[in-house]
Amino acid sequence: MQSVKLAWDDIQLGTETGRVDIAITDAVLDFYLSTMELDIAWFTTGAAPYGKRIAPPDMVPKLAMEPLFQDYLNGNIGQNIRAKQAFQFIAPVFVGTTVHGVGHLVEKYERRGRRFVTVEGVFTDDSGNRLVLDRRTQMLLSDDFNMRS
Amino acid sequence: MSDDLYLDDIVVGQELPHTIKGPMSTAHIMRWSAAMENWHRIHYDWRFATEHDRLPDVMVNGSWKQHILIQHLTNWAGETGWVWKLNFQFRGMNVPGDTLTGWGRITAIEERGPYGVVSVEIGLRNQNGDEGTPGAATVVLPRRDGPPVPYPFNPACLDTI
């Protein structure tokens, strides 16, 4: 297992874990849809009620996962694996939107000899309207955090 | 995707139609990792996964599984409903060869203003029936003779009369 930079007590709630801007283009959406083998008119042509193409609701959090959370977690806390996740889908994400994401470390806890951190990402459009919330809890795998060893 | 789903059409205890994906292959996993630019070696490096991380095989991506859950819900909610909230846990690993079945069951229906707030128990089972991704979702549905769920969705609409 790799060593980690932060000790458990040094993990500070409120720490910003990353920022990202993602331009939602036709090409980005087409690539995602082909990967998922998705052929739903909302996403492919912009069927009613939206009127123009929207992204699958979870696409933005997925594209943002590395720069918003994982780069920080892997670099500072070491290996980790997702234990829980929660989304709120507040508004559709249209092609042409540039989505702005910011991530924060919001919770840490110990349970059954394991240690966990929870990070939260907030995604907004250019006007600051919230589009998606993503809250995920990662179990820490490094021996430094394994209370069972 | 269902055509139109209304509050009038559902009851507590009702099962959602299943969404079946698989058998998952290493090609699925590699393609997904590429699309997500997720280069964690447990998804493509068999030796690393099995010898270093002592896993049974390379892993089906968790983010792939969460997408199946969301696809499962949006297909059910159709063009009239809004999948508002979703949470789940990753309790089980999935490997190439697994077939994943998304399932769901309505656990509660709360009438809020002109809409219904529907609680759904969901999960992903493998071909052996083992549950690996249990969770819950909240879906907002209109009444057949009521106003449509607004787009973009605003939770304040639930408190209007």
Side-chain angles (χ1 to χ4, degrees):
Chain A
M1 293 279 187
Q2 68 189 84
S3 61
V4 299
K5 293 179 180 175
L6 293 178
W8 178 249
D9 289 341
D10 295 331
I11 297 173
Q12 298 295 321
L13 303 188
T15 298
E16 184 176 303
T17 54
R19 284 178 180 265
V20 67
D21 299 321
I22 302 174
I24 307 301
T25 65
D26 284 308
V28 167
L29 185 50
D30 286 340
F31 184 45
Y32 189 88
L33 296 179
S34 67
T35 302
M36 285 308 304
E37 300 174 352
L38 272 178
D39 184 23
I40 292 175
W42 288 346
F43 312 137
T44 56
T45 65
Y50 301 106
K52 60 180 182 177
R53 298 179 76 190
I54 65 169
D58 57 322
M59 187 182 90
V60 167
K62 286 195 178 61
L63 296 179
M65 180 173 76
E66 298 294 324
L68 211 57
F69 304 125
Q70 287 305 131
D71 289 347
Y72 175 86
L73 293 174
N74 293 338
N76 292 280
I77 302 179
Q79 286 184 289
N80 57 91
I81 193 167
R82 209 168 318 160
K84 294 193 296 185
Q85 187 153 15
F87 289 116
Q88 275 199 51
F89 304 114
I90 300 167
V93 178
F94 292 100
V95 165
T97 305
T98 296
V99 178
H100 310 283
V102 58
H104 287 94
L105 209 157
V106 297
E107 186 180 28
K108 65 175 186 177
Y109 60 91
E110 302 169 355
R111 188 175 182 190
R112 296 177 187 161
R114 296 284 191 185
R115 285 173 163 159
F116 300 82
V117 297
T118 301
V119 289
E120 185 173 80
V122 178
F123 298 93
T124 57
D125 62 17
D126 280 333
S127 301
N129 299 311
R130 287 190 169 198
L131 302 173
V132 184
L133 304 181
D134 176 7
R135 188 180 175 98
R136 52 183 73 198
T137 298
Q138 306 290 128
M139 183 170 73
L140 306 186
L141 299 177
S142 165
D143 289 340
D144 302 66
F145 295 123
N146 187 352
M147 301 165 71
R148 292 176 172 173
S149 59
Chain B
M1 175 177 290
S2 66
D3 294 330
D4 294 313
L5 186 67
Y6 295 97
L7 185 60
D8 318 61
D9 302 327
I10 62 169
V11 295
V12 172
Q14 187 173 323
E15 303 270 349
L16 276 59
H18 286 174
T19 298
I20 299 173
K21 298 284 185 181
M24 306 300 281
S25 68
T26 51
H28 284 108
I29 297 171
M30 192 62 218
R31 188 171 57 177
W32 180 254
S33 294
M36 296 296 97
E37 297 191 19
N38 176 349
W39 304 117
H40 197 304
R41 292 168 68 181
I42 61 172
H43 297 309
Y44 65 88
D45 186 335
W46 183 85
R47 187 176 296 278
F48 178 89
T50 57
E51 295 182 5
H52 181 273
D53 276 10
R54 302 186 194 97
L55 297 168
D57 203 328
V58 293
M59 293 286 104
V60 173
N61 313 62
S63 54
W64 173 286
K65 294 191 286 186
Q66 70 179 241
H67 181 88
I68 298 173
L69 287 175
I70 291 166
Q71 189 178 345
H72 177 59
L73 288 162
T74 52
N75 283 353
W76 176 68
E79 298 184 2
T80 50
W82 181 263
V83 178
W84 180 21
K85 298 179 184 178
L86 170 66
N87 68 76
F88 46 88
Q89 298 183 10
F90 293 106
R91 292 190 184 174
M93 298 176 182
N94 292 103
V95 297
D98 280 0
T99 295
L100 301 177
T101 298
W103 62 275
R105 182 184 304 111
I106 297 171
T107 57
I109 301 172
E110 180 187 7
E111 297 198 22
R112 294 272 302 274
Y115 306 107
V117 177
V118 184
S119 299
V120 185
E121 176 187 17
I122 55 168
L124 279 180
R125 294 187 180 122
N126 67 11
Q127 64 279 7
N128 300 319
D130 301 324
E131 177 56 61
T133 321
T138 306
V139 177
V140 180
L141 292 178
R143 291 192 176 90
R144 192 174 298 278
D145 59 355
V149 177
Y151 301 94
F153 175 69
N154 181 351
C157 74
L158 300 175
D159 299 319
T160 60
I161 303 294

Coordinates of all heavy atoms in Angstrom, one line a residue, chain A residues 13-77:
Chain A
L13 N -12.2 19.0 7.9 CA -13.5 19.2 7.2 C -13.6 20.6 6.6 O -13.0 21.5 7.2 CB -14.7 19.0 8.2 CG -14.7 17.6 8.9 CD1 -16.0 17.5 9.7 CD2 -14.6 16.5 7.9
G14 N -14.2 20.7 5.5 CA -14.3 22.0 4.8 C -13.2 22.2 3.8 O -13.3 23.2 3.0
T15 N -12.2 21.3 3.8 CA -11.1 21.5 2.8 C -11.7 21.3 1.4 O -12.5 20.5 1.1 CB -10.1 20.3 3.0 OG1 -9.5 20.5 4.3 CG2 -9.0 20.4 1.9
E16 N -11.3 22.3 0.5 CA -11.7 22.2 -0.9 C -10.9 21.1 -1.6 O -9.7 21.1 -1.5 CB -11.5 23.5 -1.6 CG -12.0 23.5 -3.0 CD -11.9 24.8 -3.7 OE1 -12.5 25.8 -3.2 OE2 -11.3 24.9 -4.8
T17 N -11.6 20.1 -2.2 CA -10.9 19.0 -2.8 C -10.6 19.2 -4.3 O -9.8 18.4 -4.9 CB -11.7 17.7 -2.6 OG1 -13.0 17.9 -3.1 CG2 -11.7 17.3 -1.1
G18 N -11.3 20.2 -4.9 CA -11.0 20.4 -6.3 C -12.1 21.2 -7.0 O -13.2 21.4 -6.4
R19 N -11.7 21.8 -8.1 CA -12.7 22.5 -8.9 C -12.5 22.1 -10.4 O -11.5 21.7 -10.8 CB -12.4 24.0 -8.9 CG -12.8 24.7 -7.6 CD -12.4 26.2 -7.6 NE -12.9 26.8 -6.3 CZ -14.0 27.4 -6.2 NH1 -14.8 27.6 -7.2 NH2 -14.4 27.9 -5.0
V20 N -13.6 22.2 -11.1 CA -13.6 21.8 -12.5 C -14.7 22.5 -13.3 O -15.7 22.8 -12.7 CB -13.8 20.2 -12.6 CG1 -15.2 19.8 -12.2 CG2 -13.5 19.7 -14.0
D21 N -14.4 22.8 -14.5 CA -15.3 23.4 -15.5 C -15.5 22.4 -16.6 O -14.5 22.0 -17.2 CB -14.9 24.7 -16.0 CG -14.7 25.8 -14.9 OD1 -15.5 25.8 -14.0 OD2 -13.7 26.5 -15.0
I22 N -16.7 22.0 -16.9 CA -16.9 21.0 -18.0 C -17.9 21.6 -19.0 O -19.0 22.0 -18.7 CB -17.5 19.7 -17.4 CG1 -16.6 19.2 -16.3 CG2 -17.8 18.7 -18.5 CD1 -17.1 18.0 -15.6
A23 N -17.4 21.7 -20.2 CA -18.3 22.2 -21.3 C -19.0 21.0 -21.8 O -18.5 20.0 -22.3 CB -17.4 22.8 -22.4
I24 N -20.4 21.1 -21.8 CA -21.2 20.0 -22.2 C -21.5 20.2 -23.7 O -22.3 21.0 -24.1 CB -22.5 19.9 -21.4 CG1 -22.2 19.9 -19.9 CG2 -23.3 18.7 -21.9 CD1 -21.4 18.7 -19.5
T25 N -20.7 19.5 -24.5 CA -20.8 19.6 -26.0 C -21.5 18.4 -26.6 O -21.7 17.4 -25.9 CB -19.5 19.8 -26.6 OG1 -18.7 18.5 -26.4 CG2 -18.7 20.9 -26.0
D26 N -21.9 18.6 -27.8 CA -22.5 17.4 -28.5 C -21.5 16.2 -28.6 O -21.9 15.1 -28.4 CB -22.9 17.8 -30.0 CG -24.1 18.7 -30.0 OD1 -25.2 18.2 -29.5 OD2 -24.1 19.7 -30.7
A27 N -20.3 16.5 -28.8 CA -19.3 15.5 -28.9 C -19.1 14.7 -27.5 O -19.0 13.5 -27.5 CB -17.9 16.0 -29.3
V28 N -19.1 15.5 -26.4 CA -19.0 14.9 -25.1 C -20.2 14.0 -24.9 O -20.0 12.8 -24.4 CB -18.9 15.9 -24.0 CG1 -19.1 15.3 -22.6 CG2 -17.5 16.6 -24.1
L29 N -21.3 14.5 -25.2 CA -22.6 13.7 -25.0 C -22.6 12.5 -25.9 O -23.0 11.4 -25.4 CB -23.8 14.6 -25.2 CG -25.1 14.0 -24.9 CD1 -25.2 13.4 -23.5 CD2 -26.2 15.1 -25.0
D30 N -22.2 12.6 -27.1 CA -22.3 11.5 -28.0 C -21.3 10.4 -27.5 O -21.7 9.2 -27.6 CB -21.8 11.9 -29.4 CG -22.9 12.7 -30.2 OD1 -24.1 12.6 -29.8 OD2 -22.6 13.5 -31.1
F31 N -20.2 10.7 -27.1 CA -19.2 9.7 -26.6 C -19.8 9.0 -25.4 O -19.7 7.8 -25.3 CB -17.9 10.4 -26.2 CG -16.8 9.5 -25.8 CD1 -16.5 8.3 -26.5 CD2 -16.0 9.8 -24.7 CE1 -15.5 7.5 -26.2 CE2 -15.0 8.9 -24.3 CZ -14.7 7.8 -25.0
Y32 N -20.4 9.7 -24.5 CA -20.9 9.1 -23.3 C -22.1 8.2 -23.6 O -22.2 7.0 -23.2 CB -21.4 10.2 -22.3 CG -21.9 9.7 -21.0 CD1 -21.0 9.6 -20.0 CD2 -23.2 9.4 -20.7 CE1 -21.3 9.2 -18.7 CE2 -23.6 8.9 -19.5 CZ -22.6 8.8 -18.5 OH -23.0 8.4 -17.3
L33 N -22.9 8.6 -24.5 CA -24.1 7.8 -24.9 C -23.6 6.5 -25.6 O -24.2 5.4 -25.4 CB -25.0 8.6 -25.8 CG -25.7 9.8 -25.2 CD1 -26.6 10.5 -26.3 CD2 -26.5 9.4 -24.0
S34 N -22.6 6.6 -26.5 CA -22.1 5.4 -27.1 C -21.5 4.4 -26.1 O -21.7 3.2 -26.3 CB -21.1 5.8 -28.2 OG -19.9 6.3 -27.6
T35 N -20.9 5.0 -25.1 CA -20.3 4.1 -24.1 C -21.4 3.4 -23.3 O -21.2 2.2 -23.0 CB -19.4 4.9 -23.2 OG1 -18.4 5.6 -23.9 CG2 -18.8 4.1 -22.1
M36 N -22.4 4.1 -23.0 CA -23.5 3.5 -22.2 C -24.5 2.8 -23.1 O -25.5 2.2 -22.5 CB -24.2 4.6 -21.4 CG -23.4 5.1 -20.2 SD -22.9 3.8 -19.1 CE -24.4 3.0 -18.7
E37 N -24.3 2.8 -24.4 CA -25.3 2.2 -25.3 C -26.7 2.7 -25.0 O -27.7 2.0 -24.9 CB -25.3 0.7 -25.2 CG -23.9 0.1 -25.5 CD -23.8 -1.4 -25.3 OE1 -24.7 -2.0 -24.7 OE2 -22.8 -2.0 -25.7
L38 N -26.8 4.1 -24.8 CA -28.0 4.7 -24.5 C -28.6 5.3 -25.8 O -27.9 6.0 -26.5 CB -27.8 5.9 -23.5 CG -27.8 5.5 -22.0 CD1 -27.5 6.8 -21.2 CD2 -29.1 5.0 -21.7
D39 N -29.9 5.1 -26.0 CA -30.5 5.6 -27.2 C -31.9 6.2 -26.8 O -32.9 5.6 -27.1 CB -30.7 4.5 -28.3 CG -31.3 5.1 -29.5 OD1 -31.2 6.3 -29.8 OD2 -31.8 4.3 -30.3
I40 N -31.8 7.2 -26.0 CA -33.1 7.8 -25.5 C -33.2 9.2 -26.1 O -32.2 10.0 -26.1 CB -33.0 7.9 -23.9 CG1 -33.1 6.4 -23.4 CG2 -34.2 8.7 -23.4 CD1 -33.0 6.3 -21.9
A41 N -34.4 9.6 -26.6 CA -34.5 10.8 -27.4 C -34.2 12.0 -26.6 O -33.7 13.0 -27.2 CB -35.9 10.9 -27.9
W42 N -34.4 12.1 -25.3 CA -34.0 13.3 -24.5 C -32.5 13.6 -24.8 O -32.1 14.7 -24.9 CB -34.1 13.0 -23.0 CG -35.5 12.9 -22.5 CD1 -36.6 13.3 -23.1 CD2 -35.9 12.5 -21.2 NE1 -37.7 13.1 -22.3 CE2 -37.3 12.6 -21.1 CE3 -35.1 12.0 -20.1 CZ2 -38.0 12.2 -20.0 CZ3 -35.8 11.6 -19.0 CH2 -37.2 11.7 -18.9
F43 N -31.7 12.5 -24.8 CA -30.3 12.7 -24.9 C -29.8 12.8 -26.4 O -28.8 13.5 -26.6 CB -29.5 11.5 -24.2 CG -30.1 11.2 -22.9 CD1 -30.3 9.9 -22.5 CD2 -30.4 12.2 -22.0 CE1 -30.8 9.6 -21.2 CE2 -30.9 11.9 -20.7 CZ -31.1 10.6 -20.3
T44 N -30.5 12.1 -27.3 CA -30.0 12.0 -28.6 C -30.5 13.2 -29.5 O -29.7 13.6 -30.4 CB -30.3 10.7 -29.3 OG1 -31.8 10.6 -29.2 CG2 -29.7 9.5 -28.5
T45 N -31.7 13.6 -29.3 CA -32.3 14.6 -30.3 C -32.8 15.8 -29.5 O -33.0 16.8 -30.2 CB -33.4 14.0 -31.1 OG1 -34.5 13.6 -30.2 CG2 -32.9 12.7 -31.8
G46 N -33.1 15.7 -28.3 CA -33.7 16.8 -27.6 C -35.2 16.8 -27.6 O -35.9 17.8 -27.9
A47 N -35.8 15.6 -27.3 CA -37.2 15.5 -27.4 C -37.9 16.3 -26.3 O -37.3 16.7 -25.3 CB -37.6 14.0 -27.3
A48 N -39.2 16.4 -26.4 CA -40.0 17.1 -25.4 C -39.9 16.4 -24.1 O -39.7 15.1 -24.1 CB -41.5 17.1 -25.8
P49 N -39.9 17.0 -22.9 CA -40.3 18.4 -22.8 C -39.1 19.4 -22.8 O -39.3 20.6 -22.6 CB -40.9 18.4 -21.4 CG -40.1 17.4 -20.6 CD -39.8 16.4 -21.6
Y50 N -37.9 18.9 -23.1 CA -36.8 19.8 -23.0 C -36.5 20.7 -24.2 O -36.1 21.8 -24.1 CB -35.5 18.9 -22.7 CG -35.7 18.1 -21.4 CD1 -35.9 16.8 -21.4 CD2 -35.7 18.8 -20.2 CE1 -36.1 16.0 -20.3 CE2 -35.8 18.0 -19.0 CZ -36.1 16.7 -19.1 OH -36.2 16.0 -17.9
G51 N -36.8 20.1 -25.4 CA -36.6 20.9 -26.6 C -35.2 21.0 -27.1 O -35.0 21.3 -28.3
K52 N -34.2 20.6 -26.4 CA -32.9 20.4 -26.9 C -32.2 19.4 -26.1 O -32.6 19.0 -25.0 CB -32.1 21.7 -27.0 CG -31.8 22.4 -25.7 CD -31.0 23.7 -26.0 CE -30.7 24.4 -24.7 NZ -29.8 25.6 -24.9
R53 N -31.1 18.9 -26.6 CA -30.4 17.7 -26.0 C -30.0 18.0 -24.5 O -29.5 19.1 -24.2 CB -29.2 17.3 -26.7 CG -29.5 16.9 -28.2 CD -28.2 16.5 -28.9 NE -27.7 15.2 -28.4 CZ -26.5 14.7 -28.7 NH1 -25.6 15.4 -29.4 NH2 -26.1 13.5 -28.3
I54 N -30.3 17.0 -23.7 CA -29.8 17.1 -22.3 C -28.9 15.9 -22.0 O -28.9 14.9 -22.8 CB -30.9 17.1 -21.2 CG1 -31.7 15.8 -21.3 CG2 -31.8 18.3 -21.4 CD1 -32.6 15.6 -20.1
A55 N -28.1 16.0 -21.0 CA -27.2 15.0 -20.6 C -27.8 14.0 -19.7 O -28.7 14.5 -18.9 CB -25.9 15.5 -20.0
P56 N -27.5 12.7 -19.7 CA -28.0 11.9 -18.6 C -27.6 12.5 -17.3 O -26.5 13.1 -17.1 CB -27.2 10.6 -18.9 CG -26.9 10.6 -20.3 CD -26.7 12.0 -20.6
P57 N -28.5 12.4 -16.3 CA -28.3 13.2 -15.1 C -27.0 12.9 -14.3 O -26.5 13.8 -13.7 CB -29.6 12.8 -14.2 CG -30.1 11.6 -14.9 CD -29.8 11.6 -16.3
D58 N -26.5 11.7 -14.4 CA -25.3 11.5 -13.7 C -24.0 11.7 -14.5 O -22.9 11.4 -14.0 CB -25.3 10.0 -13.2 CG -25.5 9.0 -14.3 OD1 -26.2 9.3 -15.3 OD2 -24.9 8.0 -14.3
M59 N -24.1 12.1 -15.7 CA -22.9 12.3 -16.5 C -21.9 13.3 -16.0 O -20.7 13.0 -15.9 CB -23.3 12.7 -18.0 CG -22.1 12.6 -18.9 SD -22.6 13.2 -20.6 CE -22.2 14.9 -20.5
V60 N -22.4 14.4 -15.6 CA -21.5 15.4 -15.1 C -20.7 15.0 -13.8 O -19.5 15.1 -13.8 CB -22.3 16.8 -14.8 CG1 -21.5 17.7 -14.0 CG2 -22.7 17.4 -16.1
P61 N -21.4 14.4 -12.8 CA -20.6 14.0 -11.7 C -19.5 12.9 -12.1 O -18.5 12.9 -11.5 CB -21.6 13.4 -10.7 CG -22.9 14.0 -11.1 CD -22.8 14.3 -12.6
K62 N -19.8 12.1 -13.0 CA -18.9 11.1 -13.4 C -17.7 11.7 -14.1 O -16.5 11.4 -13.8 CB -19.5 10.1 -14.3 CG -20.4 9.2 -13.6 CD -20.8 8.0 -14.5 CE -21.7 7.0 -13.8 NZ -22.9 7.6 -13.4
L63 N -17.9 12.7 -15.0 CA -16.8 13.3 -15.7 C -16.0 14.1 -14.7 O -14.8 14.4 -15.0 CB -17.3 14.2 -16.8 CG -18.1 13.5 -18.0 CD1 -18.6 14.5 -19.0 CD2 -17.2 12.5 -18.6
A64 N -16.6 14.6 -13.6 CA -15.9 15.4 -12.7 C -15.2 14.7 -11.6 O -14.4 15.3 -10.8 CB -16.9 16.4 -12.1
M65 N -15.4 13.4 -11.5 CA -15.0 12.6 -10.4 C -13.5 12.7 -10.1 O -13.1 12.9 -8.9 CB -15.3 11.1 -10.6 CG -15.0 10.2 -9.5 SD -15.6 8.5 -9.8 CE -14.5 7.9 -11.0
E66 N -12.7 12.6 -11.1 CA -11.2 12.6 -10.9 C -10.7 14.0 -10.4 O -10.1 14.1 -9.3 CB -10.5 12.2 -12.1 CG -10.8 10.7 -12.5 CD -10.3 9.7 -11.5 OE1 -9.3 9.9 -10.9 OE2 -11.0 8.7 -11.4
P67 N -11.0 15.1 -11.2 CA -10.5 16.4 -10.7 C -11.1 16.9 -9.5 O -10.5 17.7 -8.7 CB -10.7 17.3 -11.9 CG -11.8 16.6 -12.7 CD -11.7 15.2 -12.5
L68 N -12.4 16.5 -9.2 CA -13.1 17.1 -8.1 C -12.8 16.4 -6.8 O -12.7 17.1 -5.7 CB -14.6 17.1 -8.4 CG -15.5 18.2 -7.8 CD1 -15.0 19.5 -8.3 CD2 -16.9 17.9 -8.1
F69 N -12.6 15.1 -6.8 CA -12.4 14.4 -5.6 C -11.2 13.5 -5.6 O -10.4 13.5 -4.7 CB -13.6 13.4 -5.4 CG -14.9 14.1 -5.3 CD1 -16.0 13.7 -6.2 CD2 -15.2 15.2 -4.5 CE1 -17.2 14.3 -6.1 CE2 -16.4 15.8 -4.4 CZ -17.4 15.4 -5.3
Q70 N -11.1 12.6 -6.7 CA -10.1 11.5 -6.6 C -8.7 12.0 -6.6 O -7.8 11.4 -6.0 CB -10.4 10.5 -7.7 CG -11.6 9.7 -7.4 CD -11.6 9.0 -6.1 OE1 -12.6 9.0 -5.3 NE2 -10.5 8.3 -5.7
D71 N -8.4 13.1 -7.4 CA -7.0 13.5 -7.4 C -6.6 13.9 -6.0 O -5.4 13.6 -5.6 CB -6.9 14.7 -8.4 CG -7.0 14.2 -9.9 OD1 -7.0 13.0 -10.1 OD2 -7.2 15.1 -10.7
Y72 N -7.4 14.6 -5.3 CA -7.1 15.0 -3.9 C -7.0 13.8 -3.0 O -6.0 13.7 -2.3 CB -8.2 16.0 -3.4 CG -7.9 16.4 -2.0 CD1 -7.1 17.4 -1.6 CD2 -8.5 15.7 -0.9 CE1 -6.8 17.8 -0.3 CE2 -8.3 16.0 0.4 CZ -7.4 17.0 0.7 OH -7.2 17.3 2.0
L73 N -8.0 13.0 -3.1 CA -8.0 11.8 -2.2 C -6.8 10.9 -2.4 O -6.2 10.5 -1.4 CB -9.3 11.1 -2.3 CG -10.6 11.8 -1.9 CD1 -11.8 11.0 -2.2 CD2 -10.6 12.1 -0.4
N74 N -6.6 10.6 -3.6 CA -5.5 9.7 -3.9 C -4.2 10.3 -3.5 O -3.3 9.6 -3.1 CB -5.5 9.3 -5.4 CG -6.7 8.5 -5.8 OD1 -7.3 7.9 -5.0 ND2 -7.0 8.5 -7.1
G75 N -4.0 11.6 -3.8 CA -2.7 12.2 -3.5 C -2.5 12.5 -2.0 O -1.3 12.6 -1.6
N76 N -3.6 12.7 -1.3 CA -3.4 13.1 0.1 C -3.8 12.1 1.1 O -3.3 12.1 2.3 CB -4.2 14.4 0.4 CG -3.6 15.6 -0.4 OD1 -2.7 16.2 0.1 ND2 -4.2 15.9 -1.5
I77 N -4.7 11.2 0.8 CA -5.2 10.3 1.7 C -4.9 8.8 1.3 O -5.1 7.9 2.1 CB -6.7 10.5 2.0 CG1 -6.9 12.0 2.4 CG2 -7.3 9.6 3.0 CD1 -8.4 12.4 2.7

